[in-house]
Amino acid sequence: MKKIININLSGRVIPIEDSAYERLQGYIESLRRYFAHEDGRDEIINDIESRIAEIMDEKIRKGASSVTDEDVDGIIASM
């Protein structure tokens, strides 16, 4: 059984597997590096984080107990 943690992503509390959270953090850090020299980088990253939070919240509302590694991989692939 995987450890579940609650995170606050763009003002939404999301239950997520610990390993999925690590994957998500790695992705967000890669975005920060990619947009490091862009004007408006903070707004771009905040918009992406907001969309990720919406997708995760939708999964939880549909009955999932938490966001899994597979969910995060799918979200990253779709972004």
Side-chain angles (χ1 to χ4, degrees):
M1 178 173 263
K2 294 191 177 190
K3 181 179 175 184
I4 307 296
I5 59 173
N6 288 315
I7 63 169
N8 183 332
L9 186 62
S10 294
R12 299 172 192 253
V13 176
I14 308 287
I16 185 170
E17 293 178 351
D18 192 29
S19 56
Y21 176 68
E22 290 175 18
R23 289 179 193 214
L24 179 62
Q25 284 297 100
Y27 177 65
I28 292 171
E29 284 304 314
S30 72
L31 291 174
R32 291 186 199 290
R33 286 190 303 273
Y34 182 81
F35 292 111
H37 302 291
E38 295 287 326
D39 290 337
R41 66 183 169 272
D42 293 334
E43 185 177 341
I44 293 168
I45 292 169
N46 287 338
D47 288 347
I48 294 170
E49 285 180 354
S50 292
R51 181 62 184 136
I52 291 170
E54 288 173 8
I55 294 167
M56 290 179 170
D57 190 50
E58 185 177 319
K59 289 187 178 296
I60 300 303
R61 282 188 285 124
K62 286 184 178 178
S65 60
S66 66
V67 175
T68 65
D69 292 334
E70 293 79 20
D71 294 332
V72 171
D73 290 342
I75 291 167
I76 291 170
S78 71
M79 298 305 264

